């Protein structure tokens, strides 16, 4: 496939014009014009780029790319090494941040909810990025939910709340979405799941009575880019 055709298709599929984001979505580094092998990953780190290029990638697609708002715009140090590696091997970099979080089928939040067996009942947050829903019948308390998340994500989550707390309704938003916790509290859910947690959220969870589950930024955001890669291959 032509790289420019792939970018146009993905930009439309993920509706990037709808989002006010912290970074550019779409083609961030131009590579060779024809793409036969496309490799997906969460973050365009040096380790990922090396593995992708060794596997024969013509282009890569990630959730966390480059050129973030507030970042030093100078291409020096780590940024120079990453970009020069792509250019030296003529490999293109496509990146989709909030559009990939929010997509109703392929998005990180939709995919995380699907893997955890949640039934979506609504969306909230800026641009409808976060989700709320109900649990599987066999999960009745916070201990059950903690164990379920650990089994599905292969990572032990940090949980603020009592194990015997009854859990029926949850809200979730992958990655660094802890600022949606206040809105989740107002929705009267029993638990909120995201990737990261700061000190202030520990107190907010204890005082609100809503459990806070930090399941890992990378761990919660693996599945959207996997689903997107599978969609492209089909």
């Amino acid at each position: 496939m032509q790289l420019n055709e792939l970018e146009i298709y993905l930009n439309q599929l993920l509706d990037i014009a709808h989002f006010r984001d912290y970074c550019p979505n779409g083609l961030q580094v131009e590579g060779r014009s024809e793409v036969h092998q496309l490799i997906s990953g969460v973050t365009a780190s040096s380790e990922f780029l090396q593995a992708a290029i060794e596997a024969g990638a013509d282009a890569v697609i990630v959730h966390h790319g480059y050129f973030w708002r507030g970042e030093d715009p100078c291409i020096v140090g780590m940024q120079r090494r990453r970009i020069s590696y792509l250019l030296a091997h003529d490999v293109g970099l496509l990146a989709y941040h909030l559009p990939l979080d929010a997509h109703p089928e392929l998005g990180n939040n939709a995919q995380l909810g699907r893997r955890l067996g949640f039934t979506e009942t609504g969306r909230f947050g800026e641009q409808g990025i976060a989700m709320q829903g109900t649990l599987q019948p066999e999960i009745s308390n916070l201990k059950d939910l903690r164990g379920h998340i650990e089994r599905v994500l292969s990572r032990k989550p940090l949980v603020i709340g009592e194990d015997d707390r009854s859990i029926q309704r949850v809200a979730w938003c992958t990655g660094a979405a802890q600022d949606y916790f206040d809105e989740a509290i107002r929705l009267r859910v029993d638990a909120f799941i995201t990737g990261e947690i700061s000190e202030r959220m520990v107190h907010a969870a204890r005082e609100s009575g809503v459990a806070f589950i930090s399941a890992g930024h990378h761990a919660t955001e693996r599945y959207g880019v996997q689903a997107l890669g599978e969609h492209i291959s089909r």
Side-chain angles (χ1 to χ4, degrees):
M1 190 174 192
Q2 294 295 309
L3 179 62
N4 65 326
E5 293 176 346
L6 178 61
E7 182 194 13
I8 291 169
Y9 175 77
L10 291 174
N11 290 354
Q12 293 174 345
L13 174 70
L14 298 174
D15 191 18
I16 67 169
H18 178 72
F19 292 88
R20 299 184 301 274
D21 213 334
Y22 319 105
C23 59
N25 289 291
L27 184 64
Q28 292 189 341
V29 178
E30 186 176 0
R32 60 185 68 113
S33 59
E34 288 193 2
V35 178
H36 300 278
Q37 177 89 323
L38 179 69
I39 293 181
S40 63
V42 176
T43 300
S45 64
S46 293
E47 183 180 12
F48 166 73
L49 296 179
Q50 182 176 351
I53 289 169
E54 288 176 354
D58 299 302
V60 295
I61 183 169
V62 298
H63 180 50
H64 300 137
Y66 304 148
F67 313 116
W68 297 90
R69 185 192 305 161
E71 231 180 22
D72 186 347
C74 298
I75 301 177
V76 298
M78 178 177 67
Q79 191 78 319
R80 175 188 177 277
R81 290 191 295 272
R82 289 174 170 180
I83 292 175
S84 64
Y85 193 62
L86 286 167
L87 295 175
H89 292 86
D90 202 17
V91 170
L93 169 67
L94 296 133
Y96 295 93
H97 185 232
L98 293 183
L100 187 57
D101 286 322
H103 193 274
E105 295 178 11
L106 305 175
N108 283 319
N109 288 308
Q111 288 293 316
L112 180 65
R114 186 172 302 170
R115 288 175 182 265
L116 291 173
F118 299 160
T119 299
E120 180 189 349
T121 58
R123 286 182 171 252
F124 65 100
E126 185 179 5
Q127 297 159 295
I129 194 171
M131 303 176 76
Q132 60 176 313
T134 57
L135 303 170
Q136 299 171 355
E138 60 268 24
I139 300 174
S140 62
N141 58 37
L142 190 56
K143 182 179 179 180
D144 294 339
L145 182 56
R146 177 207 303 265
H148 178 59
I149 291 172
E150 183 173 353
R151 286 189 295 273
V152 172
L153 302 189
S154 300
R155 184 186 189 278
K156 187 174 182 178
L158 173 63
V159 179
I160 308 300
E162 300 299 324
D163 277 351
D164 60 356
R165 178 179 298 173
S166 176
I167 302 290
Q168 295 179 330
R169 297 177 60 241
V170 295
W172 68 97
C173 193
T174 64
Q178 60 182 347
D179 287 339
Y180 288 131
F181 189 40
D182 285 343
E183 196 166 346
I185 292 170
R186 290 194 291 272
L187 291 170
R188 300 183 183 276
V189 298
D190 302 304
F192 176 70
I193 303 163
T194 188
E196 301 180 4
I197 185 170
S198 64
E199 188 265 354
R200 62 189 171 89
M201 293 301 166
V202 175
H203 303 293
R206 289 171 176 168
E207 294 176 29
S208 68
V210 176
F212 191 109
I213 301 175
S214 170
H217 194 134
H218 183 276
T220 57
E221 295 200 322
R222 292 180 295 213
Y223 306 115
V225 76
Q226 289 179 10
L228 183 59
E230 291 166 0
H231 172 86
I232 295 166
S233 78
R234 289 195 300 271

